Amino acid sequence: MDSLSLRWRFSASSVTKKSRILLRPAIKDRTFDKKKKKRMSMSSAAVVSHFAPVGTEESQRSSDHVETALQWIHELFRKLLLNQNPCDQAEIDQMLSDFFRSYHEEEKARRDKLKAEASELEAAAHTTPVMPSKEKKSAGKGKKSVVVEKQFPPPEPPEPLLLEGMAVGSVSLAVAKSGAKIKGMPLYKYISALKNQKDPTHFHVPVPWITLLSCGKKSPGKLCLLEEIILISKVGHPVKQSVTLACELQKEMMRLMSMSGKGGITLSSVSHNGVLTASCERPDQPLDLITNACTNLKVPLGVDVFLALNCAAPKLVDYSKGKYEVATGGLKSPDELIEVYNNLISKYPAVVAVIDPFRREEAEQWKKLSDRIGISCSLLSDITHKAQAPALPGVHGYVFRHANETTVSDIIHATFCYQGSVVMDTMLSESSSDGSFADLAVGLGLDYVKLGGLGGAETMAKYNRLISIEEELAQQGLLVCKEPPLFSEKPKEQPATAEETI
């Protein structure tokens, strides 16, 4: 290949609850005879942001970030990547990351300066002396609350989220897709070659995590603890079979909820991406529902299929009281929450994973819970916003997403750095419709991939792509089975007793 040039075409849109940019790099191959018509190939990629606009001001901010990201591509990235070889993924990703890091440091310095100026103005405005006796008396009255605050560690300061970074993630993925086209191979094989520094000889398809039910804080009903209940098929089950089974289970769950009496779990809605939203009062209700649905369909829960609970506990903290709001009006301390999880896992042995049962600050509770549940259930930590975070005691795996400034090289690096189960998660509002997310998961050799519910064109494109890859690999004789670490050697037994089915 004598020379390559990149020309960037792009579009953008702001949609409710998400912002995205769509980048289309056109790769012109000049190795053909000048008398022949030159071929033009097109690749595109979309990366969603974590920012969810909920009002006019937030929507405007989201739109502004999209425009800024587009400006980066139009003006800065166009110059930065001109005449770069799309097959030099690591080099291009480094250029993108260096650019974003420099911008991030400048923004941090600007914010720190503004914060310091604001502090000086505030200090100058509060120069009136306060009576010492009243101050001491007030402190005495609040002594008990001060002790409570010390027992409950403050949250880690969040890293500022610069949404301009979504241009970085989009460009990186688009470059990878361009490189795959130039090499004449599917994206998943190209990603695997990038990771392993050699052409792949075999693959395994990650076990899909399918979200069945949502009954978290945003759902109706009192229950807040269980943001998602996820179905996991046993390794070796074809993806198409897992998807079909999940569809049947959801139909049966809907039937059971439609017939439940007063005080029972009821169906509130079905999200655009096919997740059932239920009104629950207690954490055992949704698990009983799934158990009964499996029993009715003669599906051996805990043998052929398993469950994961996404608790997202950091969203449930009431900092004024130092407790977690597991249900509306129902608060639990970190140690009390250990008992809640332990009782659930003991009663429902099909639960093989719990995501974010505590905040990262509760390292002691992570360790205690891990010691209590042993190898029967794995604790997973979401590291999407904390890619360089130190390992937590008792953690058996990690969840991360491809979003914002995350480059393909960053994801490859993460798969080497983190030991244990690795789950690649997709945003519920993911807008890329070509299924490239599935290619990433297969090419990286991940154990699991969390794709969301079973609805919506964008989500189903990912499932369909995963099915297509699996069938393609099977036909080529390149498909192998890998036993992921979440499953113990002995099959799980179903609960000894279950409520009667309706």
Side-chain angles (χ1 to χ4, degrees):
M1 187 171 293
D2 298 327
S3 64
L4 288 168
S5 67
L6 289 181
R7 295 193 301 109
W8 304 101
R9 299 180 182 179
F10 15 68
S11 63
S13 63
S14 293
V15 209
T16 303
K17 293 186 179 179
K18 63 185 176 186
S19 303
R20 62 178 175 139
I21 66 168
L22 181 63
L23 173 72
R24 294 189 175 96
I27 302 102
K28 185 184 294 183
D29 192 336
R30 295 175 177 164
T31 60
F32 299 106
D33 192 296
K34 293 182 179 180
K35 296 180 181 180
K36 296 181 181 179
K37 188 176 181 180
K38 295 175 182 177
R39 292 191 309 183
M40 188 77 72
S41 62
M42 189 77 72
S43 299
S44 65
V47 176
V48 294
S49 76
H50 290 281
F51 178 68
V54 294
T56 304
E57 183 179 347
E58 291 82 357
S59 296
Q60 182 59 48
R61 177 172 174 245
S62 174
S63 177
D64 291 344
H65 279 290
V66 171
E67 292 301 322
T68 302
L70 281 173
Q71 186 178 3
W72 279 20
I73 300 172
H74 275 289
E75 300 174 5
L76 302 174
F77 287 170
R78 185 192 297 272
K79 297 177 182 178
L80 187 68
L81 302 181
L82 185 64
N83 294 323
Q84 292 293 324
N85 188 337
C87 296
D88 294 335
Q89 185 75 41
E91 181 178 342
I92 291 176
D93 283 347
Q94 188 63 54
M95 294 168 65
L96 295 172
S97 296
D98 288 345
F99 177 88
F100 183 76
R101 188 179 301 109
S102 175
Y103 175 79
H104 186 280
E105 290 173 354
E106 292 175 1
E107 281 295 293
K108 185 177 184 300
R110 184 183 65 83
R111 287 193 303 271
D112 289 346
K113 182 179 179 181
L114 292 175
K115 186 177 180 180
E117 292 175 352
S119 298
E120 290 177 2
L121 291 174
E122 185 178 357
H126 294 79
T127 55
T128 304
V130 181
M131 293 298 293
S133 58
K134 291 184 178 180
E135 193 68 35
K136 290 180 180 180
K137 187 176 181 181
S138 175
K141 288 183 178 180
K143 187 175 181 181
K144 187 175 181 181
S145 62
V146 170
V147 173
V148 173
E149 290 177 2
K150 288 181 179 180
Q151 291 177 345
F152 196 73
E156 296 178 2
E159 288 291 329
L161 186 61
L162 303 180
L163 297 187
E164 296 90 342
M166 59 184 164
V168 176
S170 293
V171 171
S172 177
L173 182 55
V175 168
K177 294 167 75 173
S178 301
K181 285 188 176 183
I182 292 172
K183 294 290 186 180
M185 62 174 64
L187 179 59
Y188 67 88
K189 290 186 178 180
Y190 184 72
I191 295 294
S192 179
L194 287 176
K195 177 182 177 181
N196 300 301
Q197 299 297 304
K198 62 181 180 180
D199 291 337
T201 57
H202 62 271
F203 295 85
H204 77 94
V205 174
V207 176
W209 285 30
I210 304 173
T211 304
L212 293 178
L213 193 66
S214 173
C215 41
K217 195 167 186 176
K218 294 182 180 180
S219 304
K222 293 183 178 181
L223 182 61
C224 302
L225 183 62
L226 304 182
E227 184 168 283
E228 293 177 301
I229 300 180
I230 304 159
L231 184 73
I232 311 172
S233 293
K234 187 177 181 180
V235 66
H237 287 195
V239 177
K240 183 183 290 187
Q241 180 181 335
S242 300
V243 170
T244 301
L245 175 59
C247 283
E248 294 301 316
L249 274 176
Q250 282 193 322
K251 290 179 183 177
E252 180 61 16
M253 289 162 61
M254 292 174 70
R255 187 188 73 83
L256 293 174
M257 282 190 282
S258 68
M259 300 176 65
S260 64
K262 185 177 180 181
I265 180 172
T266 58
L267 179 65
S268 173
S269 63
V270 181
S271 70
H272 71 280
N273 64 340
V275 177
L276 306 183
T277 302
S279 176
C280 303
E281 305 299 311
R282 308 181 310 276
D284 58 326
Q285 284 182 309
L287 295 172
D288 283 340
L289 172 69
I290 295 174
T291 299
N292 292 336
C294 287
T295 300
N296 291 355
L297 296 178
K298 295 181 171 54
V299 174
L301 182 62
V303 179
D304 285 347
V305 292
F306 304 84
L307 300 174
L309 308 179
N310 183 9
C311 298
K315 301 178 183 178
L316 306 177
V317 179
D318 184 332
Y319 285 100
S320 65
K321 298 181 179 178
K323 294 185 177 182
Y324 291 92
E325 188 179 13
V326 299
T328 303
L331 301 173
K332 299 288 184 182
S333 68
D335 283 333
E336 290 173 333
L337 197 53
I338 292 176
E339 296 303 318
V340 173
Y341 290 129
N342 186 60
N343 292 337
L344 277 178
I345 295 167
S346 299
K347 185 178 179 181
Y348 304 97
V351 175
V352 296
V354 178
I355 303 172
D356 281 352
F358 305 100
R359 300 182 307 154
R360 291 189 58 86
E361 291 83 356
E362 267 79 66
E364 182 182 350
Q365 280 70 30
W366 283 80
K367 180 65 166 61
K368 285 181 179 179
L369 179 58
S370 179
D371 291 342
R372 291 283 295 275
I373 62 180
I375 62 172
S376 64
C377 183
S378 296
L379 303 183
L380 306 182
S381 172
D382 189 330
I383 57 169
T384 300
H385 299 288
K386 295 285 184 181
Q388 304 301 321
L392 286 166
V395 169
H396 301 90
Y398 301 89
V399 178
F400 64 87
R401 301 178 183 90
H402 178 223
N404 293 331
E405 69 272 15
T406 308
T407 66
V408 171
S409 297
D410 289 335
I411 300 176
I412 291 174
H413 179 70
T415 61
F416 284 118
C417 289
Y418 294 98
Q419 301 299 316
S421 304
V422 176
V423 183
M424 191 171 182
D425 189 8
T426 180
M427 298 290 290
L428 293 181
S429 58
E430 186 80 45
S431 56
S432 178
S433 59
D434 63 353
S436 57
F437 185 86
D439 284 78
L440 275 175
V442 174
L444 292 168
L446 300 182
D447 300 317
Y448 306 97
V449 59
K450 184 173 177 289
L451 298 176
L454 295 175
E458 294 83 4
T459 304
M460 292 314 298
K462 298 175 179 63
Y463 281 108
N464 289 334
R465 178 57 182 156
L466 198 62
I467 292 170
S468 176
I469 293 173
E470 185 177 53
E471 293 175 345
E472 179 181 312
L473 291 173
Q475 290 174 357
Q476 296 174 357
L478 301 178
L479 183 64
V480 297
C481 288
K482 174 186 175 183
E483 186 73 16
L486 283 190
F487 300 97
S488 58
E489 295 181 0
K490 295 182 180 180
K492 299 260 183 181
E493 295 182 358
Q494 296 189 61
T497 59
E499 294 182 1
E500 290 189 17
T501 58
I502 297 176

